[in-house]
Amino acid sequence: MLNGQKRWLYIAVPIFFFWFFGQIDKVGISIIQTDPEFLNALGMTGDDKNAKIGLLSFVFTIAYGVSNLFWGFIIDKLGARKTAIAGLFVWTLTMITSGLANSYEMFLISRVILGFGEGMMIPVSGKFISNWFNKRELGRAQASWLTGNYLGPAIGAVVLVLVISLLHWQAAFFMLAAFNLFINIPMFIFLTRNTPEEHPRISKEELAFIRQSDDEDKESIPSESKSFAQDYRFWIVWFGMLVCSFLFFGISIWLPTYLIEAKGFEKEGMSSITSLSWLFALGFVLACGFLADKTRRPSLMASILFSLTAVFLTVAVFIPNPILAGLCMGLAMGCQGGVFHLSNMLMVKYSTPETAGRAAGLMGFTNIMGGFSSYIMGWLRDLSDGDFSTSIAMLIFAALLGLGAYIFSIKREAAELLLSPLPAQKIQV
């Protein structure tokens, strides 16, 4: 059944769980920060409570974004497999120290180290995808791990609420450490290799299919510079990712608090809409993975998604119904999930297997904006006596900036499609 398709088992499956559990680690704080016992235990009370909460995500994403640059170069030297295993050990230890934290400062330091450890996730995934998949299946390959990126928090939101309710907020961190130690690390050790050439169970036929596009692309597309740094389209995507990170982290980190404090939801209702919002993101990722491969118009699709994000956020501000407002926030977050997927697909397109780690590191660096977003939203809430309207207005403006950036690449994309039309359907091995 897996004949000629083993790349999906040996690479796509480990990366799926890599992101499934990694994203629960990363955004689980948005659920945990709604627990009064957690806030009181670590001293997040008083007039600056929201700024302190926002600072937790700020320091994490700063470390996460900066370390992407470091990990990108390390991956190109050591390979994705060893880098992934090393990063997994780092963030497993930080989950344990987070659960043992007894002060705000100690917990803050653990978030910095976690950001450093998880900073290799985007470069590792980009490197594996670039090395292991045919150029014409990049959309589906990216969607396979981005599915874990959004399905993890969707399920994790419900699980974390249940664990905190039945046990304690500390138990949530210990559970996440166990997932990495007993599932993620063994999968990378026993299933993956840096390239398909190194894997003893990859057939010559499958390897030939993976490498098939190299010569075809040279024949069908006019010769141009292979340096992604010299391609202005890469920097448009990079700026779009800056905006996407600002929007996605701003919405996802504050959504549970928004639902409870601004819209009056109980924890069960909050977890339901939060999970549904992550499923919206998953739906957009799967749709974009399919449509990007079929239409080959990812820049146009990203422009549409930024437009929809601005519309959904605007409706959320003015609509009085709390359920509809929450759903609109979730749909806005879902749109940015689609943009994130398209951006990573374009990153692989504009780089080569040799430079994919560095290109992905630069893309991962954009996550630094998520920290600014979460902190600024908390600061604006403190200034507005807890009101979210000013923060959401800021997010709407950011969505319009993302739209403006991608408009510049739409014409070039259409011209490329004319030069390299969609190929006739081929039988794959």
Side-chain angles (χ1 to χ4, degrees):
M1 183 175 64
L2 289 174
N3 185 34
Q5 304 290 330
K6 290 183 179 179
R7 60 194 178 279
W8 298 98
L9 171 64
Y10 296 137
I11 299 300
V13 171
I15 290 180
F16 168 81
F17 284 103
F18 186 49
W19 283 86
F20 182 90
F21 295 120
Q23 279 298 97
I24 301 177
D25 290 354
K26 190 183 303 179
V27 304
I29 189 65
S30 67
I31 299 295
I32 296 171
Q33 72 189 26
T34 65
D35 180 43
E37 188 174 348
F38 167 74
L39 298 176
N40 290 330
L42 298 184
M44 285 180 277
T45 57
D47 294 336
D48 61 346
K49 178 185 81 170
N50 293 299
K52 283 184 175 181
I53 293 174
L55 187 61
L56 294 178
S57 296
F58 175 76
V59 296
F60 168 82
T61 50
I62 294 295
Y64 184 85
V66 171
S67 68
N68 265 266
L69 300 174
F70 166 79
W71 285 117
F73 284 96
I74 295 298
I75 289 168
D76 284 336
K77 297 294 183 182
L78 297 182
R81 183 170 174 258
K82 289 182 179 179
T83 306
I85 294 169
L88 282 165
F89 273 112
V90 171
W91 98 48
T92 299
L93 290 175
T94 58
M95 285 293 101
I96 296 173
T97 57
S98 294
L100 296 175
N102 55 16
S103 69
Y104 179 75
E105 291 75 20
M106 182 178 176
F107 191 83
L108 202 65
I109 292 172
S110 73
R111 299 303 291 178
V112 173
I113 300 174
L114 177 64
F116 177 81
E118 291 195 355
M120 50 74 196
M121 293 180 72
I122 292 177
V124 161
S125 301
K127 189 74 169 180
F128 271 127
I129 296 299
S130 181
N131 282 336
W132 274 82
F133 292 90
N134 184 282
K135 291 289 186 183
R136 298 195 184 277
E137 59 183 2
L138 292 180
R140 281 166 290 161
Q142 293 282 9
S144 69
W145 63 267
L146 286 170
T147 300
N149 187 44
Y150 301 111
L151 188 60
I155 297 175
V158 177
V159 173
L160 288 173
V161 168
L162 184 62
V163 170
I164 293 171
S165 300
L166 295 178
L167 300 172
H168 194 269
W169 63 266
Q170 293 171 314
F173 288 106
F174 298 145
M175 176 189 69
L176 294 174
F179 286 150
N180 286 327
L181 188 60
F182 296 111
I183 298 177
N184 274 338
I185 293 175
M187 291 189 84
F188 274 94
I189 291 175
F190 296 110
L191 291 181
T192 67
R193 297 294 185 274
N194 288 325
T195 65
E197 288 85 353
E198 297 176 18
H199 207 293
R201 295 185 180 87
I202 297 298
S203 67
K204 292 181 180 179
E205 292 78 13
E206 183 168 4
L207 178 60
F209 173 73
I210 294 170
R211 302 301 181 216
Q212 181 181 7
S213 64
D214 292 347
D215 294 332
E216 291 181 357
D217 287 345
K218 292 176 184 177
E219 294 174 3
S220 62
I221 300 176
S223 177
E224 57 181 313
S225 172
K226 288 293 184 181
S227 174
F228 67 86
Q230 296 175 0
D231 192 334
Y232 78 93
R233 295 169 301 171
F234 175 85
W235 296 108
I236 287 176
V237 176
W238 187 83
F239 179 79
M241 271 291 285
L242 278 178
V243 177
C244 177
S245 296
F246 191 86
L247 287 163
F248 192 85
F249 277 93
I251 298 172
S252 63
I253 293 298
W254 283 103
L255 180 60
T257 303
Y258 167 82
L259 294 171
I260 289 177
E261 297 187 8
K263 296 302 176 182
F265 283 89
E266 298 295 332
K267 283 197 173 183
E268 292 76 12
M270 175 273 289
S271 65
S272 297
I273 291 187
T274 299
S275 295
L276 186 60
S277 299
W278 285 99
L279 291 176
F280 285 153
L282 174 59
F284 277 101
V285 164
L286 296 176
C288 287
F290 175 79
L291 293 174
D293 283 343
K294 291 295 183 182
T295 67
R296 292 166 63 187
R297 297 299 305 270
S299 294
L300 176 61
M301 292 169 61
S303 300
I304 294 172
L305 290 174
F306 273 119
S307 301
L308 289 174
T309 299
V311 171
F312 287 131
L313 290 173
T314 302
V315 173
V317 171
F318 292 104
I319 197 167
N321 187 290
I323 295 178
L324 292 179
L327 291 176
C328 283
M329 291 291 288
L331 286 168
M333 191 176 94
C335 287
Q336 290 308 299
V339 173
F340 181 76
H341 169 51
L342 293 170
S343 299
N344 280 278
M345 191 189 76
L346 287 168
M347 177 275 299
V348 175
K349 176 183 177 181
Y350 297 144
S351 63
T352 66
E354 293 75 25
T355 62
R358 278 164 281 176
L362 281 169
M363 294 296 284
F365 177 76
T366 62
N367 282 277
I368 198 170
M369 292 303 294
F372 284 102
S373 177
S374 61
Y375 181 73
I376 293 172
M377 287 185 70
W379 176 70
L380 288 174
R381 285 199 68 211
D382 286 333
L383 291 180
S384 306
D385 295 325
D387 186 68
F388 274 92
S389 298
T390 306
S391 299
I392 296 176
M394 175 186 67
L395 297 179
I396 294 171
F397 178 73
L400 296 176
L401 287 177
L403 170 62
Y406 266 99
I407 285 176
F408 288 102
S409 64
I410 292 177
K411 185 176 179 180
R412 174 71 178 273
E413 183 179 76
E416 282 186 342
L417 191 59
L418 290 175
L419 291 172
S420 180
L422 292 169
Q425 185 68 30
K426 296 182 179 180
I427 299 175
Q428 299 181 5
V429 294

